[in-house]
Amino acid sequence: MIRPEPIRLAHGRKAHDGIFEADSGGSPWLAFDEGDDVVFWQPRTGDLATDCNRAFALGQDVIDNPATYSFDCNLNVFANPLDWLQAKRDGIVILDWSRAWSRLQDCPRIAIADELLFQFRRHFEPPHKPEIFVLTGRKAVAA
């Protein structure tokens, strides 16, 4: 098995829903296998698309890999695929910020690109908080 997975080339365009539509006359995109999805990146425009919109992040397999956090290391979150590739794929590029809390809440350490810090803080909280009620103790009856 070759590690890391080779980068493939595809021609097409990004549809309005973020899904990649193959088209032999379309612009070239780099394609990265993400298990049950494929992430497409158009380097000229910076656009990202997916094959079936299942991927949370580019490089998402490292999130659950214990080696990512061993020896006090962090999960690195990069702003774009070029930074991710230059770092030898050591981390992720988030595609769907609405899933940031649920996918990253159990990570012991995260190192994030400074240009993403505001967006990360905005999305890194529980999407739903339960309504809280206070149970009061029994009150004594005055005699």
Side-chain angles (χ1 to χ4, degrees):
M1 198 171 244
I2 300 172
R3 280 284 180 207
E5 294 290 325
I7 301 171
R8 296 174 287 160
L9 182 68
H11 287 82
R13 65 182 182 83
K14 179 180 179 177
H16 295 291
D17 59 0
I19 302 292
F20 181 79
E21 294 182 350
D23 177 5
S24 60
S27 48
W29 293 66
L30 299 178
F32 303 89
D33 183 27
E34 285 300 326
D36 59 350
D37 205 351
V38 177
V39 175
F40 299 90
W41 173 48
Q42 212 307 315
R44 289 187 189 127
T45 64
D47 283 342
L48 291 164
T50 62
D51 185 41
C52 51
N53 211 14
R54 290 184 183 146
F56 158 69
L58 188 56
Q60 65 189 15
D61 288 344
V62 301
I63 296 170
D64 299 321
N65 184 345
T68 301
Y69 313 100
S70 63
F71 304 109
D72 292 329
C73 290
N74 312 302
L75 171 66
N76 299 316
V77 180
F78 295 98
N80 58 62
L82 181 59
D83 292 344
W84 177 71
L85 287 169
Q86 288 174 334
K88 299 180 182 165
R89 305 179 190 194
D90 182 24
I92 62 171
V93 177
I94 296 176
L95 305 172
D96 183 356
W97 284 95
S98 67
R99 293 190 272 171
W101 168 258
S102 63
R103 291 301 310 271
L104 302 177
Q105 67 179 336
D106 296 323
C107 296
R109 288 173 297 284
I110 298 173
I112 189 152
D114 58 352
E115 62 262 37
L116 296 176
L117 190 56
F118 176 76
Q119 190 170 13
F120 184 80
R121 284 184 176 154
R122 190 177 74 193
H123 287 95
F124 199 71
E125 53 184 53
H128 171 72
K129 296 175 186 171
E131 192 173 352
I132 305 295
F133 298 94
V134 177
L135 298 173
T136 58
R138 297 176 81 177
K139 294 186 180 193
V141 177

